[in-house]
Amino acid sequence: MLMAHPALLTDLLERYEALRVLHAEDGSGARQRLEDVSYTLCIATGTRDIDSALTAARRQLSGARPDDDALMADA
């Protein structure tokens, strides 16, 4: 399985969090950008929804192996 570069995942996670705050405060252009970053996170992590994408990205950045269920208890 291909894995996204950690720098890309870090950037996407940071952008997602920033846009989530902006979207909550002001719905202007932030909504579409949030949807775009969410989609990109899903593609980069091989998932189909943002919650799974966030979990997968954080797991990959933490260095956990894909078959390591240790982090699932926290999800």
Side-chain angles (χ1 to χ4, degrees):
M1 176 174 148
L2 292 177
M3 296 184 79
H5 192 280
L8 173 66
L9 290 179
T10 299
D11 179 59
L12 289 171
L13 287 172
E14 289 173 357
R15 287 173 42 203
Y16 176 83
E17 292 301 328
L19 288 167
R20 194 169 59 101
V21 169
L22 283 176
H23 177 62
E25 293 175 357
D26 168 68
S28 59
R31 179 177 176 216
Q32 182 60 50
R33 292 185 314 217
L34 180 63
E35 289 178 14
D36 291 345
V37 169
S38 298
Y39 175 80
T40 305
L41 266 167
C42 288
I43 296 300
T45 58
T47 58
R48 293 180 183 237
D49 63 83
I50 189 59
D51 291 329
S52 298
L54 292 169
T55 299
R58 291 175 181 140
R59 181 182 302 150
Q60 183 178 338
L61 289 173
S62 75
R65 295 183 317 274
D67 59 344
D68 184 2
D69 290 336
L71 296 177
M72 294 304 289
D74 295 334

